[in-house]
Amino acid sequence: MKLFLDSADVNEVRQAAEWGLIEGVTTNPSLLAKTGQPYQTVLREICSLVDGPVSCEVVATSAEAMLEEGEKLAQLHPNIVVKCPVVVEGLKATRALSRRGIKVNVTLVFTPLQALLAAKCGAAYVSPFVGRLDDIGQDGLAMVAQTVRIFANYKFPTEILVASVRSPSHLVRAAEVGAHIATVPFNVLRQILHHPLTDIGLERFLSDWRASRQKI
Ligand code: E4P
């Protein structure tokens, strides 16, 4: 399972890239707005830090305008992936952009059938939002598992990019059910890097070694 960073914060992207742990980045209009910077500057900088797909979402509401925005975004950098919402206009734009060779990540997916429609329209990625489903008392990862089975049945090349990840356990389940990618907020990435028993164990190994007065 590939790991992407779900962030528009350039400092977070830089740090995660230095750790060598991320293979792409996802943003959304809320995350980009939070930076207070021009979106083109932020996206270009992210693309210079990470050599992988960088998703950026259209904000138009008609297919025609989404297509125009998508083409503009795609010109920023070859790694830009255009995000379109899974509504009728978004699916029309997905088909049109995909036919022009522009990769699309269909976002705000909450059911396996929405994912199926996105795949049929040529989406390169679909983004099921697991945390937001859990928030309303549903099982986000169960929906991802269904989508994995459906895509396998029909051999869709569309990759399932698990989004709205809130905890390491979301990642474990995403990997268990065979999701292709998970996009993680920076705080979750940090959480999976630390385990108290690892820290305690390492400290003990090092102090025992120091006591032996040997050198390697
Ligand atoms: C994915 O691409 C979205 O940016 C993101 O995962 C949404 O997460 P949230 O539900 O925590 O806002």
Side-chain angles (χ1 to χ4, degrees), residues 22 33 35 44 47 50 58 69 102 121 127 131 147 152 169 194 208:
I22 53 164
T35 67
R44 283 206 188 93
C47 288
V50 177
V58 295
E69 284 184 0
I102 295 172
C121 290
S127 289
T147 307
S169 65
H194 292 291
D208 288 348

Side-chain angles (χ1 to χ4, degrees), residues 5-7 25-31 55 57 83 105 107-108 110 127-133 135 161-166 183-185:
L5 189 71
D6 192 28
S7 175
V25 175
T26 53
T27 69
N28 63 40
S30 309
L31 292 171
S55 291
E57 192 162 341
K83 258 176 153 180
N105 173 359
T107 189
L108 289 166
F110 293 98
S127 289
F129 276 35
V130 296
R132 294 193 195 185
L133 272 174
D135 289 346
L161 197 173
V162 175
S164 189
V165 165
R166 303 274 166 77
T183 188
V184 291

